[in-house]
């Protein structure tokens, strides 16, 4: 029994001794002077906080309803959100609607009619699927127009 324990200990020691781990961090300069391959890449100064939309929505030049102007003023009175607030206009179920993006995290985005009445919350929440009142919003919305986004 002692011999088996000694042999196991000897094998473990030999196996671990040959393993070397090399640790680098973002400030370690690349080995070959190039920023490619397995070397650590150089830090970037690119803004990675605000997401860039996959496509740029066409700008909406129509008049904004008073309730929407008030909502924009409320957003501007608060500190800048991450992600920034965006308001988009769509055609949905035969009418114009306004989509206001969620302020953060697991909060709901809101869809309003042209009078400012909340229709539904199509996304957000813990499940990411909104309140369930317009589960087809993503598929059925059309004619996207960017109405406003926080310029800060």
């Amino acid at each position: 029994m002692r011999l088996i324990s000694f042999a196991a200990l000897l094998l473990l020691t030999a196996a671990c001794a040959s393993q070397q781990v090399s640790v680098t961090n973002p400030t370690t300069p690349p080995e070959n002077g190039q920023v490619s391959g397995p070397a650590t890449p150089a830090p970037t100064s690119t803004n990675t906080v605000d997401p860039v939309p996959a496509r740029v929505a066409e700008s909406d030049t129509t008049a904004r309803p008073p309730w929407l102007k008030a909502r924009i003023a409320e957003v501007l009175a608060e500190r800048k959100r991450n992600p920034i607030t965006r308001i988009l206009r769509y055609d949905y179920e035969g009418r114009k609607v306004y989509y206001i993006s969620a302020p953060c995290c697991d909060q709901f985005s809101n869809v309003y009619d042209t009078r400012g009445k909340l229709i539904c919350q199509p996304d957000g929440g813990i499940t990411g699927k909104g309140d369930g009142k317009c589960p087809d919003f993503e598929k059925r919305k059309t004619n996207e127009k960017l109405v406003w986004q926080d310029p800060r």
Side-chain angles (χ1 to χ4, degrees), residues 35-55:
V35 183
S36 63
T40 304
T44 178
S45 62
T46 304
N47 180 358
T48 57
V49 176
D50 292 332
V52 177
R55 59 190 160 85

Side-chain angles (χ1 to χ4, degrees), residues 6 48 52 71 90-91 123 126 143:
F6 179 72
T48 57
V52 177
R71 183 67 193 119
Y90 295 101
D91 290 334
D123 53 53
I126 294 173
N143 298 326

Side-chain angles (χ1 to χ4, degrees), residues 19-61:
Q19 299 290 323
Q20 293 184 358
V21 177
S22 175
V23 178
T24 61
N25 61 47
T27 58
T28 303
E31 298 161 6
N32 61 3
Q34 300 296 318
V35 183
S36 63
T40 304
T44 178
S45 62
T46 304
N47 180 358
T48 57
V49 176
D50 292 332
V52 177
R55 59 190 160 85
V56 177
E58 183 183 331
S59 182
D60 182 3
T61 58

Side-chain angles (χ1 to χ4, degrees), residues 13-128:
T13 304
C16 292
S18 65
Q19 299 290 323
Q20 293 184 358
V21 177
S22 175
V23 178
T24 61
N25 61 47
T27 58
T28 303
E31 298 161 6
N32 61 3
Q34 300 296 318
V35 183
S36 63
T40 304
T44 178
S45 62
T46 304
N47 180 358
T48 57
V49 176
D50 292 332
V52 177
R55 59 190 160 85
V56 177
E58 183 183 331
S59 182
D60 182 3
T61 58
T62 60
R64 296 177 186 148
W67 68 267
L68 190 57
K69 290 179 184 177
R71 183 67 193 119
I72 292 169
E74 288 172 17
V75 171
L76 289 172
E78 301 167 354
R79 64 183 179 87
K80 180 183 174 188
R81 296 176 175 177
N82 181 16
I84 61 170
T85 301
R86 296 185 75 206
I87 301 174
L88 299 147
R89 192 183 77 199
Y90 295 101
D91 290 334
Y92 176 69
E93 294 185 339
R95 59 185 167 173
K96 302 278 185 215
V97 297
Y98 292 92
Y99 171 92
I100 302 179
S101 62
C104 180
C105 316
D106 292 331
Q107 297 179 27
F108 293 114
S109 295
N110 297 314
V111 173
Y112 297 92
D113 67 12
T114 55
R115 294 175 301 171
K117 179 182 175 196
L118 180 66
I119 297 171
C120 65
Q121 297 170 314
D123 53 53
I126 294 173
T127 65

Side-chain angles (χ1 to χ4, degrees), residues 120-152:
C120 65
Q121 297 170 314
D123 53 53
I126 294 173
T127 65
K129 296 181 180 180
D131 63 4
K133 294 181 181 177
C134 56
D136 61 348
F137 182 76
E138 191 62 34
K139 292 179 184 175
R140 296 190 55 217
K141 66 184 183 182
T142 59
N143 298 326
E144 179 177 283
K145 306 261 187 206
L146 177 63
V147 174
W148 181 82
Q149 73 179 17
D150 194 333
R152 300 176 286 173

